[in-house]
Amino acid sequence: MTDISFDELIYKIVAMIPRGQVATYGQLAFLSGYPQRSRMVGQAMAAAPPKRKLPCHRVVNFAGRTAPGWKEQRELLEKEGVLFKPNGYVDLDICLWEGFLPEIDM
DNA sequence: TTCTTGACAACAG
DNA sequence: GCTGTTGCCAAGA
């Protein structure tokens, strides 16, 4: 049973993304329980009202690229502390959010 | 009900 | 790294 809608679940996860890190649509979809619904994540974000104050700028695609027509996202991420590659992509190698995982020691 | 579109992901060239 | 194609699922016309 779906206690909450898919988009609601996405918002919840997105809100958990720490500053200085980013998550991919596939990551959010996976954590929400539907690894194949990465597109719905984007749909949910597009429908996400500003009331949610979601750090949607921390959500990027699998390649670390920002959303189309959204140049501000890069500026926001840079202020958050996210590193960018010289080609304009997010440095997922460093800023990719692991999503509650591991506290692995290494 | 069918077709199109979409803030995507993954693979091939 | 970029482009083209395929697969996935949902919402809208």
Side-chain angles (χ1 to χ4, degrees):
Chain A
M1 327 226 306
T2 54
D3 292 60
I4 57 178
S5 301
F6 179 78
D7 53 323
E8 287 289 325
L9 192 55
I10 294 300
Y11 301 150
K12 199 168 190 173
I13 298 171
V14 172
M16 298 178 70
I17 302 174
R19 183 167 68 88
Q21 290 190 311
V22 297
T24 66
Y25 293 98
Q27 187 78 50
L28 298 175
F30 183 83
L31 294 173
S32 62
Y34 297 91
Q36 306 302 347
R37 297 190 183 184
S38 54
R39 313 175 70 152
M40 269 68 266
V41 178
Q43 288 285 81
M45 302 276 37
K51 296 174 62 177
R52 292 279 177 169
K53 297 180 181 173
L54 297 175
C56 45
H57 57 265
R58 290 181 188 151
V59 183
V60 297
N61 65 19
F62 83 107
R65 197 188 294 184
T66 52
W70 195 9
K71 300 187 301 183
E72 285 186 309
Q73 184 173 23
R74 180 176 158 177
E75 300 299 304
L76 291 169
L77 290 171
E78 288 186 294
K79 291 203 301 183
E80 295 274 309
V82 176
L83 298 179
F84 273 76
K85 292 187 176 181
N87 47 328
Y89 288 10
V90 177
D91 195 335
L92 296 176
D93 294 318
I94 302 175
C95 303
L96 181 61
W97 180 43
E98 317 222 358
F100 316 64
L101 301 177
E103 305 181 12
I104 351 180
D105 315 300
M106 226 320 155

